[in-house]
Amino acid sequence: MAEEEALALLKACGAEAMDHPGGTLPAHLLRVRERLAAWGAREELCLAGLCHAFYGTDGFPTALLPLDRRAELRTAVGTEAEHLVYAYAACDRDATYPTLERPDGPYRDRFTGTVHIPSDRQRRDLAELTAANELDIASVSPDFRHRWGPGLLTLFQRLRPLLSPAAWEDAQHVLLLPDA
């Protein structure tokens, strides 16, 4: 039910008209959700994968919903999934990713500028969602994989303690493909 509501909200926000590597934004979001499910992620994280672009991200600035409408997404997918979407969207990657694997590594919210130390589960969720998103793009775009793959592999090697075994195996498979 939550997935159907999320898909309806994506459509209402005009996501179907947005291009993304591998097709449209909804196609990408569905693949990210499927990738997380294949890795054995819990439903809330899978829903966050489906919705991770609603508020834009540090790497994809187009937002489908402004932050003052977070309640709409929360109603569609539940509180935990919406919080995961916000955390992914708000993540200042330059400030957060370099130390994400460390238990004392700070997370910086790019919307508010606040900094906090995320819990182990929050760090794992952020790492897993990041991997699913980037690996989807790398799997459908040889140019993206060629340009960003080595850096992503380095990042995921560092984040390996936070990644599920299935995510790490997928990262190696996708990022070590020969260039086309």
Side-chain angles (χ1 to χ4, degrees):
M1 179 92 162
E3 183 173 341
E4 292 156 4
E5 290 182 33
L7 290 169
L9 188 55
L10 282 165
K11 185 174 184 173
C13 291
E16 292 176 337
M18 300 176 112
D19 290 332
H20 199 277
T24 63
L25 179 60
H28 163 68
L29 297 172
L30 282 164
R31 289 191 309 266
V32 170
R33 187 223 181 286
E34 291 167 4
R35 181 170 246 117
L36 287 161
W39 294 347
R42 68 188 186 290
E43 184 59 21
E44 292 81 7
L45 186 54
C46 292
L47 285 169
L50 176 63
C51 299
H52 73 268
F54 261 100
Y55 310 132
T57 69
D58 201 0
F60 185 76
T62 303
L64 299 171
L65 280 178
L67 293 176
D68 63 359
R69 292 176 54 193
R70 287 179 65 185
E72 292 177 46
L73 184 57
R74 194 174 309 117
T75 298
V77 299
T79 300
E80 183 181 354
E82 190 279 332
H83 281 290
L84 291 166
V85 171
Y86 178 85
Y88 186 75
C91 181
D92 178 330
R93 295 176 182 186
D94 288 340
T96 303
Y97 284 0
T99 59
L100 184 62
E101 77 281 4
R102 293 186 1 214
D104 64 344
Y107 168 97
R108 184 177 184 280
D109 184 313
R110 70 186 181 97
F111 298 132
T112 66
T114 60
V115 175
H116 74 274
I117 304 300
S119 70
D120 287 343
R121 184 173 183 165
Q122 290 169 331
R123 292 181 311 110
R124 285 192 307 273
D125 287 344
L126 184 57
E128 200 89 348
L129 185 50
T130 298
N133 177 59
E134 302 297 345
L135 291 175
D136 174 68
I137 300 168
S139 70
V140 298
S141 174
D143 290 338
F144 177 91
R145 188 176 62 246
H146 176 75
R147 181 173 181 188
W148 301 106
L152 288 172
L153 187 58
T154 298
L155 172 65
F156 298 146
Q157 285 170 328
R158 207 170 26 76
L159 298 181
R160 186 174 178 187
L162 301 174
L163 296 173
S164 65
W168 172 241
E169 183 177 320
D170 197 16
Q172 293 175 93
H173 172 75
V174 170
L175 297 175
L176 294 175
L177 287 172
D179 288 329

